[in-house]
Amino acid sequence: MPLPLSGKTPWPPHQFHEPFADMEVWRAWYGGDTAHLAQVYGGPASYAQNPKAREFFELNKPAQFRGGLMGGLARMFWGQPVTPGQPHAKLHVPIAGDIAELSANLLWSEIPTVTVDTDSTDTASMVATTDQIKRYLDDRGHSTLREGAETAAALSGVYVRVVWDTSLRPRPWMDVLGPNAVVPEWQWGMLRAATVWRELAPLHGESEVWRLLERHEPGSIEYGLYKGDVDTLGMMMALDDHPDAADLVDRVDANGRVTTGINRLLVSYMPNVGPNRTWDHIPEAKPFGRSDYAGIEPLMGSLDESWTSWMRDLRLGKARIMLPQSMLEVEGPGGGGLFDLDREVFMQLNMLDDGDGSSSITMNQFAIRVDEHERTCAALRRQIFSSAGYSAQSFGDEGTVAVTATEVAARKEESLTTRGLKILYQRPALLDVLTTMLYVDVTHCGAKGIDPAAELTASWPQAVQPDPEATARSLSLLETAGAISTWMKVKQLHPEWDDEDVAEEVQRIRDDKAAANPIPAGDPFGTQGQGDPAADPTATGKDGAPEDAADDTQPGDQADPKTQQGQGKAA
């Protein structure tokens, strides 16, 4: 479907109005801007910037007094009307940002290992392709993917666009786009086309809205500049009609297209997690994924309300002194009265006391409900973390006492389960992006020796590293029982190694053992002292078998220790 030429095309398209509106709410929670939160919930968003908005009838919008869904949303904490004469003292706890940050750290604190399938390419291309992928996933690429994962946790997903400019970098790199910055087209749940759009600065007035559309299809990119209003796309204009799009004139053909030379999309979608429980009735929005905030917005609002109430108790808990009017010093007609708190000497007044304390100085100080508020906030935090799919221990709510790796994994089980689930969704998108970068590198950046068509695999490192002491103790017990080989010991100690690396390490271990126990000169078969264990204490173990027999023999091939001892005596 090409770009629209003209007319009152609604933008964004009507089928994305609901998803993009929800994303705006999540963006407000993620950003933590109280004005933005008040705006999306129908509250006084602009009171801090616009003095006229402080008027009562401007602050208390009609939506806050409606019934139904809109009225319910507006009556949430951030949409509640502001009481006239009261300060705007609502506080926000940035727990939404903490959730998104933790999600990104669990996934991308360490870069995954990407390998090339040896059956899909030759050895030289495999080595060159692997090295080039490591360059893509350098610190810049790693940080870009981590930022994308944090945005995806908040907004349900992100788009990753592959870009290149050899005048800036010798190889392509990744550009992350928000989910509401792209209008996608899906086929059987797969992205087949994507229109990237952004608003440009107005030229002649605030009423006009300039938009630049960038439609991606396999093999080409089409650009279009439009001048419309807030709700419609408007007329298609020439690219040089706006200074921010004028640089595209020399890059496109007569139809506004650029040929990429690659028969695949340069844009990939990386969902946060699925399925989407909110937009399942919208076919175009089902592949978007699910935000970590979906369904917990009321809980986060309640946490803000509880925290605000706590701070209100502190504000109202200040000690205040009440004294009768007769104790004030009058400054004269129209001058009012005052009371000097620093004065040390007062003259006692002869007056009758009615017994109610009205003729004496009294102090008023409200109680600060610390325990009640603290327990309420802690319970809300735990429920928010659990509903988002994380353990409270991941946020340090259960203390930071040093424990073993097994105990850490048990306490963070919910977080680690969510991490594993998200990897299922992000791994295919990562491999798709890397494959596109390989094609772009060969086609436009002059990369040599790499194979873009090679099959790629990716594996994430363990989130909780095992305790080295516990691992060594387990391997020692297995070796004593003769139940593990050297190859398996190395594999358990380094699970991230492939079989070739493990085999090399096993050979080095054997070489070290051979160097520590050299064969005497003149005895190439090592038979000297065979019948006398005392002559060569390293030749046999406790049962007379070779010390490394459990490592190098297969099941069923080990000799009978009694037979070995009998042979030694016969010799």
Side-chain angles (χ1 to χ4, degrees):
M1 182 180 69
L3 292 176
L5 297 178
S6 62
K8 295 185 178 181
T9 303
W11 199 264
H14 63 86
Q15 63 268 31
F16 296 103
H17 283 176
E18 181 180 341
F20 286 1
D22 290 343
M23 293 175 188
E24 191 65 21
V25 174
W26 296 331
R27 186 184 299 277
W29 284 110
Y30 173 58
D33 184 6
T34 56
H36 194 185
L37 281 168
Q39 181 183 21
V40 297
Y41 282 104
S46 57
Y47 66 81
Q49 295 82 10
N50 185 5
K52 294 183 179 180
R54 295 179 181 272
E55 298 294 334
F56 173 74
F57 290 105
E58 178 67 19
L59 291 177
N60 295 276
K61 299 182 179 180
Q64 295 160 343
F65 302 100
R66 294 178 186 171
L69 178 61
M70 291 300 298
L73 289 175
R75 285 191 296 272
M76 292 182 65
F77 176 67
W78 287 105
Q80 292 175 357
V82 178
T83 304
Q86 294 295 323
H88 303 283
K90 293 183 179 180
L91 299 177
H92 173 61
V93 180
I95 193 171
D98 296 341
I99 291 174
E101 183 178 0
L102 174 67
S103 175
N105 291 339
L106 287 174
L107 287 169
W108 295 98
S109 59
E110 297 182 30
I111 200 70
T113 301
V114 181
T115 57
V116 180
D117 187 3
T118 56
D119 297 334
S120 62
T121 185
D122 58 88
T123 303
S125 298
M126 179 190 69
V127 174
T129 304
T130 302
D131 292 341
Q132 193 70 348
I133 290 175
K134 291 180 180 179
R135 298 185 183 97
Y136 299 156
L137 299 178
D138 57 3
D139 290 345
R140 185 189 301 271
H142 186 189
S143 61
T144 300
L145 290 170
R146 191 221 159 274
E147 293 170 5
E150 182 170 331
T151 305
L155 304 182
S156 76
V158 291
Y159 294 88
V160 182
R161 177 175 55 179
V162 177
V163 296
W164 70 93
D165 187 344
T166 53
S167 64
L168 298 177
R169 296 193 71 192
R171 64 185 67 92
W173 67 93
M174 293 169 283
D175 180 34
V176 174
L177 302 169
N180 54 354
V182 179
V183 174
E185 296 176 28
W186 312 95
Q187 185 172 8
W188 309 116
M190 303 295 293
L191 187 66
R192 66 179 181 88
T195 301
V196 182
W197 67 281
R198 61 187 177 99
E199 292 186 1
L200 307 180
L203 296 180
H204 307 294
E206 297 295 335
S207 61
E208 64 181 22
V209 178
W210 290 80
R211 296 182 179 91
L212 178 63
L213 272 60
E214 175 185 320
R215 177 176 172 78
H216 287 257
E217 293 180 348
S220 66
I221 304 175
E222 182 181 1
Y223 293 91
L225 180 66
Y226 295 85
K227 183 176 73 171
D229 53 28
V230 176
D231 299 321
T232 59
L233 196 57
M235 298 290 294
M236 177 177 279
M237 314 295 290
L239 291 175
D240 54 0
D241 286 345
H242 197 285
D244 292 343
D247 61 331
L248 297 172
V249 175
D250 298 333
R251 296 164 51 187
V252 301
D253 58 15
N255 298 320
R257 289 177 172 267
V258 175
T259 302
T260 63
I262 303 169
N263 191 27
R264 60 187 294 121
L265 277 178
L266 299 182
V267 178
S268 301
Y269 187 67
M270 182 178 292
N272 177 47
V273 71
N276 191 294
R277 304 165 185 163
T278 307
W279 310 321
D280 56 349
H281 62 288
I282 306 175
E284 294 82 0
K286 289 179 65 176
F288 273 144
R290 184 176 74 246
S291 168
D292 283 354
Y293 309 154
I296 64 173
E297 301 94 337
L299 291 174
M300 292 191 291
S302 297
L303 178 61
D304 288 347
E305 185 174 6
S306 301
W307 197 263
T308 302
S309 175
W310 193 350
M311 296 303 105
R312 180 175 178 271
D313 269 20
L314 288 176
R315 188 172 63 253
L316 297 180
K318 297 178 181 178
R320 289 172 172 84
I321 297 176
M322 293 181 288
L323 58 135
Q325 185 177 1
S326 58
M327 293 186 179
L328 298 178
E329 297 182 5
V330 181
E331 293 293 329
L338 58 87
F339 183 81
D340 187 4
L341 294 176
D342 295 329
R343 183 174 177 179
E344 297 181 356
V345 179
F346 294 89
M347 180 178 64
Q348 185 175 2
L349 300 177
N350 295 323
M351 61 177 64
L352 296 176
D353 191 350
D354 297 336
D356 56 0
S358 59
S359 301
S360 61
I361 299 177
T362 60
M363 185 187 73
N364 184 26
Q365 185 173 16
F366 294 104
I368 301 176
R369 299 164 294 173
V370 176
D371 293 339
E372 292 86 345
H373 282 102
E374 185 176 13
R375 289 197 300 268
T376 301
C377 291
L380 286 170
R381 280 175 58 88
R382 287 194 301 269
Q383 185 58 49
I384 290 171
F385 295 151
S386 178
S387 298
Y390 301 99
S391 305
Q393 174 69 22
S394 300
F395 296 87
D397 280 15
E398 302 297 331
T400 57
V401 180
V403 292
T404 64
T406 303
E407 292 174 321
V408 171
R411 292 187 181 184
K412 299 183 178 181
E413 180 180 3
E414 197 170 4
S415 297
L416 298 180
T417 301
T418 300
R419 175 183 183 267
L421 181 62
K422 290 190 174 186
I423 289 175
L424 295 178
Y425 290 88
Q426 302 213 357
R427 181 188 287 115
L430 172 64
L431 299 181
D432 186 63
V433 170
L434 293 176
T435 300
T436 302
M437 295 179 74
L438 290 172
Y439 276 102
V440 170
D441 208 350
V442 171
T443 306
H444 298 283
C445 301
K448 304 295 183 182
I450 65 177
D451 184 8
E455 293 288 338
L456 306 180
T457 58
S459 60
W460 264 253
Q462 292 181 341
V464 179
Q465 298 299 327
D467 184 11
E469 181 180 356
T471 302
R473 187 163 53 250
S474 299
L475 293 178
S476 177
L477 293 173
L478 290 172
E479 182 180 13
T480 302
I484 192 170
S485 65
T486 303
W487 194 94
M488 284 304 300
K489 285 188 291 185
V490 175
K491 186 65 176 177
Q492 289 193 19
L493 187 61
H494 301 284
E496 72 280 4
W497 288 5
D498 56 23
D499 292 350
E500 183 178 354
D501 294 333
V502 174
E504 292 177 356
E505 182 66 15
V506 170
Q507 186 59 45
R508 282 192 288 265
I509 293 174
R510 290 175 178 171
D511 293 343
D512 290 343
K513 288 184 178 181
N517 302 290
I519 298 176
D523 186 19
F525 299 103
T527 58
Q528 291 185 1
Q530 183 178 5
D532 186 5
D536 187 5
T538 64
T540 58
K542 295 180 180 180
D543 56 358
E547 192 173 39
D548 200 30
D551 295 340
D552 304 321
T553 58
Q554 299 297 325
D557 294 339
Q558 186 170 351
D560 187 359
K562 295 181 180 180
T563 306
Q564 287 185 344
Q565 292 177 359
Q567 291 176 350
K569 292 179 181 180

